[in-house]
């Protein structure tokens, strides 16, 4: 299977942020920064979509906070394919920033995000030493780093992380939220393996599609194909066990993968958000959530208790 066009891959960050903003406006969770990344009015989204984004955003958020607490914030977070994500700002507003937070995406997405940050005071006033950017290809402001790389080129990714001051001796969490499936399994496995080899204490949170070889999964693939987006990594997204094995086989000490239906049903404020909107189709929600998963892998040489991330 060939890759999506890069333009179609980059457009997916807009879809993600638009859906997140819609859900935030409806009250599914709080994020006072997202409206600066995605200005303007947004068309109605089905409640199934908003609940899906709620499960995705909140389960990752709880895991990130658990990691930061375990490491007393003396750690790094690297968000690969970060798009227009606002997690850095949300963590800052809770005084929970790590010593280094690095975001990586394609150049066009990075330029767009830097323009957005530069234009919006509530975004750049949170960054230390921010000054208007002449170079729109990267941003290095205190603990925040935004750099461009095509992550299918591991050498380029490594170089950009180096320019951001990455420290291999510090516990580091890598986050890929709907990202790896856009590259071939060879390319994404190379990243997963590289992290395991470089860091002695690390965690990896991967959120993406699963069960892509059943009928519903095939429909998801053809819907994206209609938008010029072929999921080059779909063949690695077959079962929960296969997803865990991707990590274990390349040196991670432990990995646990759960579908989003199970994850959603364990979230603390699920009952509350279910009052926001009535579902159009309850069965569709379950089917959709069973086709996304959260996988957490850990590698630990010190005693930070990273195994606690495996219980979600
Ligand atoms: C579906 S969006 C998700 C954005 C963000 N993680 C979120 O959940 O809001 C996927 C992102 O991954 C980025 N991406 C995919 N493949 C990439 C690659 N090879 N190199 C750099 N970025 C990539 C896209 O540009 C896009 O911003």
């Amino acid at each position: 299977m060939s890759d999506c066009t890069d333009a179609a891959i980059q457009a997916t960050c807009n879809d993600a942020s638009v859906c997140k903003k819609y859900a935030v406006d409806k009250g599914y969770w709080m994020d006072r920064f997202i409206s600066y990344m995605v200005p303007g009015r947004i068309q109605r989204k089905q409640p199934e979509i908003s609940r899906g984004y709620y499960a995705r955003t909140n389960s990752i958020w709880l895991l990130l906070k658990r990691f930061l607490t375990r490491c007393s914030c003396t750690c790094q977070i690297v968000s690969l394919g970060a798009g227009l994500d606002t997690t850095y700002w949300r963590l800052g507003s809770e005084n929970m920033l790590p010593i280094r937070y690095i975001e990586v995406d394609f150049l066009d997405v990075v330029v767009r995000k830097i323009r957005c940050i530069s234009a919006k005071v509530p975004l750049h006033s949170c960054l230390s030493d921010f000054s208007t950017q002449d170079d729109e290809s990267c941003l290095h402001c205190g603990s925040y780093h935004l750099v461009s790389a095509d992550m299918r080129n591991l050498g380029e990714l490594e170089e950009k992380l180096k320019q951001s001051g990455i420290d291999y001796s510090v516990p580091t969490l890598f986050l890929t939220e709907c990202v790896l499936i856009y590259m071939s399994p060879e390319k994404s496995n190379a990243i997963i393996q590289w992290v395991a080899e470089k860091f002695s204490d690390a965690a990896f949170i991967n959120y993406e599609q699963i069960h892509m070889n059943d009928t519903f999964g095939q429909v998801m693939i053809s819907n994206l194909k209609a938008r010029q987006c072929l999921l080059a990594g779909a063949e690695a997204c077959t079962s929960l066990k296969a997803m865990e094995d991707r990590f274990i086989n390349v040196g991670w000490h432990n990995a646990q993968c759960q579908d989003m239906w199970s994850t959603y049903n364990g979230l603390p404020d699920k009952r509350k958000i279910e009052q926001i909107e009535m579902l159009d189709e309850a069965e569709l929600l379950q089917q959709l959530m069973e086709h996304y998963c959260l996988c957490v892998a850990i590698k630990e040489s010190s005693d930070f208790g990273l195994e606690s991330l495996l219980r979600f």
Side-chain angles (χ1 to χ4, degrees):
M1 191 181 272
S2 66
D3 285 4
C4 303
T5 66
D6 287 358
I9 303 179
Q10 288 161 23
T12 63
C13 82
N14 209 46
D15 298 339
S17 291
V18 162
C19 290
K20 286 179 184 179
K21 180 179 187 262
Y22 185 85
V24 165
D25 288 348
K26 281 276 173 194
Y28 282 86
W29 71 93
M30 298 261 291
D31 180 349
R32 62 189 174 86
F33 302 101
I34 191 136
S35 58
Y36 300 115
M37 291 290 180
V38 192
R41 262 182 67 82
I42 289 173
Q43 273 188 342
R44 179 180 183 269
K45 307 282 171 209
Q46 287 176 312
E48 291 78 11
I49 302 292
S50 294
R51 287 197 196 179
Y53 273 92
Y54 154 80
R56 160 177 171 173
T57 307
N58 283 276
S59 53
I60 293 174
W61 177 247
L62 292 175
L63 284 167
L64 289 178
K65 293 223 298 190
R66 204 181 293 170
F67 174 75
L68 285 156
T69 305
R70 281 280 157 196
C71 304
S72 310
C73 293
T74 308
C75 57
Q76 306 173 117
I77 294 177
V78 181
S79 176
L80 300 177
L84 303 172
D85 186 63
T86 53
T87 302
Y88 177 83
W89 287 267
R90 293 177 67 209
L91 288 174
S93 68
E94 296 206 4
N95 285 321
M96 286 208 77
L97 284 175
I99 52 176
R100 200 165 286 108
Y101 192 105
I102 306 174
E103 295 190 319
V104 185
D105 211 298
F106 281 116
L107 179 63
D108 285 359
V109 176
V110 166
V111 168
R112 178 177 167 192
K113 193 164 188 175
I114 290 177
R115 286 187 184 155
C116 204
I117 293 170
S118 304
K120 305 284 166 33
V121 177
L123 294 178
H124 67 243
S125 62
C126 301
L127 305 180
S128 50
D129 309 326
F130 176 84
S131 59
T132 311
Q133 299 297 300
D134 294 327
D135 177 3
E136 290 184 322
S137 69
C138 63
L139 192 56
H140 298 282
C141 286
S143 59
Y144 181 71
H145 304 266
L146 173 55
V147 288
S148 67
D150 178 345
M151 300 184 301
R152 292 167 294 195
N153 180 342
L154 187 54
E156 188 187 355
L157 173 62
E158 190 170 358
E159 180 54 33
K160 292 300 173 77
L161 295 180
K162 208 183 282 173
Q163 286 170 15
S164 306
I166 192 103
D167 182 343
Y168 299 116
S169 68
V170 171
T172 302
L173 183 146
F174 279 76
L175 171 63
T176 48
E177 188 182 336
C178 261
V179 174
L180 296 183
I181 198 161
Y182 296 109
M183 49 185 111
S184 68
E186 293 72 37
K187 300 291 183 194
S188 54
N189 286 345
I191 296 176
I192 292 171
Q193 179 166 359
W194 176 80
V195 177
E197 285 168 1
K198 280 286 186 183
F199 295 84
S200 39
D201 294 281
F204 205 118
I205 300 178
N206 180 37
Y207 172 93
E208 69 183 338
Q209 290 87 339
I210 198 76
H211 303 313
M212 284 295 98
N213 49 0
D214 69 15
T215 313
F216 192 87
Q218 291 297 312
V219 173
M220 288 167 76
I221 291 175
S222 23
N223 287 347
L224 277 157
K225 199 171 165 186
R227 299 169 51 193
Q228 315 305 319
C229 206
L230 298 181
L231 297 177
E235 70 193 75
C237 302
T238 50
S239 70
L240 301 174
K241 168 83 169 57
M243 192 64 88
E244 290 171 358
D245 286 347
R246 292 183 78 181
F247 288 86
I248 300 298
N249 291 344
V250 296
W252 290 83
H253 295 165
N254 210 338
Q256 194 185 328
C257 186
Q258 189 170 277
D259 73 41
M260 290 311 290
W261 181 241
S262 309
T263 307
Y264 171 68
N265 284 304
L267 285 173
D269 48 357
K270 173 194 167 236
R271 297 240 172 277
K272 202 172 104 200
I273 66 99
E274 285 180 343
Q275 308 303 312
I276 298 175
E277 291 174 286
M278 286 302 110
L279 276 191
D280 296 341
E281 289 185 67
E283 217 175 281
L284 176 65
L285 177 73
Q286 181 169 348
Q287 260 186 327
L288 258 177
M289 287 196 179
E290 283 172 350
H291 285 80
Y292 284 90
C293 69
L294 192 58
C295 186
V296 180
I298 57 150
K299 183 181 176 236
E300 187 164 43
S301 307
S302 316
D303 200 15
F304 294 105
L306 297 185
E307 308 86 46
S308 70
L309 297 179
L310 298 170
R311 292 184 290 276
F312 55 92

